[in-house]
Amino acid sequence: MPLVNAKEMMQKAREGHYAVGAFNINNLEWTKAILQTAQELNSPVMLGVSEGANKYMTGYTVVAAMVKAMIESMNITVPVALHLDHGTYEGAKKAIAAGYSSIMFDGSHFPFEENVEKTKEIVALAHSKGITVEAEVGAIGGEEDGVIGRGEVADPEECYKIASLGIDMLAAGIGNIHGKYPANWQGLDFEALAAIKAKCQGMPLVLHGGTGIPEDMIKKAISLGVCKINVNTECQLYFQEATRKYIEAGKDLEGKGYDPRKLLAPGFEGIKEIVRIKMEMFGSVNKA
Ligand code: 13P
């Protein structure tokens, strides 16, 4: 199946009370592990690519070409969206031109009116090409690719205004943080989420910072309108842990254990394991 945008995925997730996982990719192994798991579990999936990861993989066109070709060569039949994660105004335009099927325009650090104006412009451009748009209100805490959020909780009134611009998904800060949650984290702000849901009737909501959020909070967030959950750090941690174990056990020194296809295999399986755990937790298994 060719790349799809996120519209139908989000509609079905909202009606079926589950969430689609958006997993960040960094290279071929990441992409292959996530696509393979989605296919095995018959789950829809979104591949998130930050601007930093796009740069690392040498450009938007390279990423789009790789993902499209892998979907074909791996016979992937579940719905896959290729989604720009935390796009700037310029990055969003590049991703649109390169053939991404979905983009996030993150104007949350702009003054609100500027966020509105730029989001409107990106929506018009993306929709003219059948590409879905996620917008953001209120910074999300933590650090990702050098972007430090303030951990704000979004204002439901601002959410309503941005949701009214014709966007397809809305990321609203509710005390979530990118990366590992600190021991003193207060948890998600469900009162804020309920207020946002009430204001933005029917708008699929996006939960960033999916790493380490306990299952009960994930389930409650889904019951309050969350249809897409972003996971990045946890795939990195599973990859790191499995790779470290392989090297610490001296496996890279045995036979051809230095072959990158062997060296990266445990980390690859680690990514598959955490993606499976998350898809089961989010309820997207067998929803393709
Ligand atoms: P984590 O790295 O905390 O899983 O967050 C991912 C994310 O929100 C990507 O936008």
Side-chain angles (χ1 to χ4, degrees), residues 24 85-86 144 177-179 207-211 230-234:
N24 287 72
D85 189 27
H86 289 285
E144 193 182 40
I177 299 172
H178 286 128
L207 182 60
H208 282 248
T211 291
N230 290 12
V231 179
N232 182 24
T233 306
E234 232 162 353

Side-chain angles (χ1 to χ4, degrees), residues 15-86:
E15 287 161 15
H17 307 290
Y18 62 90
V20 177
F23 301 93
N24 287 72
I25 59 169
N26 294 289
N27 59 17
L28 181 142
E29 280 75 16
W30 245 258
T31 312
K32 183 174 158 186
I34 296 163
L35 289 177
Q36 213 176 72
T37 311
Q39 185 68 29
E40 285 165 7
L41 298 180
N42 194 31
S43 168
V45 71
M46 294 180 71
L47 302 176
V49 196
S50 67
E51 296 204 355
N54 268 294
K55 196 170 163 198
Y56 177 78
M57 290 184 271
T58 76
Y60 293 82
T61 51
V62 174
V63 176
M66 176 182 77
V67 169
K68 286 177 189 176
M70 283 176 79
I71 288 172
E72 202 181 316
S73 65
M74 291 172 69
N75 295 318
I76 301 296
T77 56
V78 297
V80 180
L82 176 59
H83 179 80
L84 175 66
D85 189 27
H86 289 285

Side-chain angles (χ1 to χ4, degrees), residues 158-216:
E158 287 191 355
C159 289
Y160 172 71
K161 287 184 186 151
I162 295 270
S164 310
L165 302 176
I167 61 166
D168 305 283
M169 298 158 273
L170 178 70
I174 52 164
N176 42 331
I177 299 172
H178 286 128
K180 292 182 186 174
Y181 284 91
N184 62 353
W185 180 51
Q186 305 289 306
L188 296 176
D189 185 339
F190 290 112
E191 250 176 60
L193 181 56
I196 292 163
K197 177 183 155 75
K199 268 276 174 196
C200 306
Q201 291 291 331
M203 171 60 56
L205 302 174
V206 182
L207 182 60
H208 282 248
T211 291
I213 299 181
E215 181 156 8
D216 58 329

Side-chain angles (χ1 to χ4, degrees), residues 44 64 79 112 114 128 191 193 218:
F112 184 69
E114 198 173 345
S128 73
E191 250 176 60
L193 181 56
I218 291 285

